[in-house]
Amino acid sequence: MNANNDLLRWDERYQRARYNTFDQPRQFLIDHSELLPKAGIALDAAMGLGGNAGYLIDRGLSVIGIDISAVAVKRAKNQFPHIMAVQADLNHFFLPKAYFDVILNFFYLQRDLLSIYPELLRPGGLLLIETMTRDMLDIKPEIDPKFLLAPNELREAFASSMEIITYHEGWTLSRDGHRRAVASMAARLPG
Ligand SMILES: C[S@@+](CC[C@H](N)C(=O)[O-])C[C@H]1O[C@@H](n2cnc3c(N)ncnc32)[C@H](O)[C@@H]1O
């Protein structure tokens, strides 16, 4: 699937009512809010409708939110005017090193991005990730497995570079009541 297809697919999804819940912060972010700094710069990768970015802004952070969907970026910017919202394909986007105090990556899997997150964080920076695992194939076999994490993949990706604060794999309920197999991790760059 090329970037143009991704853009069209997500633009089309965001026209549907079901995706309107994406303007709410993820429970994993709310549950780990005590780990957030009181100020600083955050990156929200694949921010969607900006619910997570808006939550960080309300807590005093400056947020750069990036998403490929023009529909999502426009709606995020309308609802949360302080987001530095960028419409871009994260496969082809330069991100500065040692720049972010917080990185959010919710329900988006781009493995080359995962591998550079420790370099993008400032010392002591916080990384919050939650996305789906291969167990999803039990209930949605049509999902392309390349967008799903293997067992323990997330933990192993950061075990040598970050201090892992919480890590969990298992089934949860999505905001619209659907079962989701996810891996969730909160981790801090030492320093
Ligand atoms: C499942 S949504 C998650 C949105 C948000 N992070 C959240 O948790 O609500 C996945 C998002 O990834 C975005 N996306 C997909 N491919 C992308 C790419 N190549 N670059 C940037 N964003 C992309 C989509 O537009 C969509 O908003």
Side-chain angles (χ1 to χ4, degrees):
M1 172 106 20
N2 66 31
N4 204 33
N5 286 342
D6 277 351
L7 190 161
L8 293 174
R9 187 165 56 99
W10 278 100
D11 272 359
E12 191 268 323
R13 282 188 185 183
Y14 281 121
Q15 318 278 4
R16 289 190 234 141
R18 157 162 192 241
Y19 285 88
N20 289 342
T21 55
F22 279 34
D23 64 0
Q24 299 299 313
R26 294 273 171 192
Q27 192 59 44
F28 187 73
L29 173 59
I30 296 169
D31 290 346
H32 292 81
S33 58
E34 80 285 357
L35 299 174
L36 293 168
K38 302 243 176 297
I41 301 177
L43 168 69
D44 186 358
M47 74 167 165
L49 296 180
N52 302 307
Y55 184 84
L56 294 187
I57 287 171
D58 286 346
R59 298 184 65 90
L61 287 140
S62 302
V63 184
I64 300 172
I66 302 171
D67 201 284
I68 200 168
S69 163
V71 174
V73 167
K74 189 171 174 201
R75 282 174 54 185
K77 187 74 184 163
N78 280 345
Q79 188 165 352
F80 307 103
H82 294 293
I83 297 178
M84 292 176 264
V86 183
Q87 191 231 333
D89 178 357
L90 279 161
N91 290 289
H92 306 283
F93 192 77
F94 171 79
L95 289 162
K97 288 188 179 169
Y99 188 75
F100 298 102
D101 300 287
V102 176
I103 295 178
L104 304 184
N105 184 130
F106 289 126
F107 293 85
Y108 177 70
L109 182 56
Q110 184 185 320
R111 288 181 172 79
D112 61 344
L113 205 52
L114 294 189
S115 68
I116 62 164
Y117 281 154
E119 291 172 24
L120 304 185
L121 284 166
R122 297 173 64 176
L126 179 69
L127 175 60
L128 298 180
I129 301 186
E130 183 171 69
T131 197
M132 293 189 292
T133 65
R134 288 200 189 145
D135 285 347
M136 278 305 289
L137 295 173
D138 293 347
I139 57 168
K140 286 199 168 240
E142 69 275 18
I143 301 179
D144 185 339
K146 83 174 177 209
F147 296 122
L148 299 171
L149 289 163
N152 257 321
E153 179 180 352
L154 194 56
R155 192 199 318 255
E156 283 165 11
F158 295 98
S160 61
S161 54
M162 311 264 307
E163 174 206 339
I164 297 177
I165 303 165
T166 62
Y167 185 84
H168 177 74
E169 286 182 17
W171 289 92
T172 63
L173 278 186
S174 70
R175 287 174 294 209
D176 47 10
H178 293 94
R179 292 176 73 221
R180 290 273 179 276
V182 299
S184 318
M185 186 191 76
R188 205 177 275 294
L189 190 70

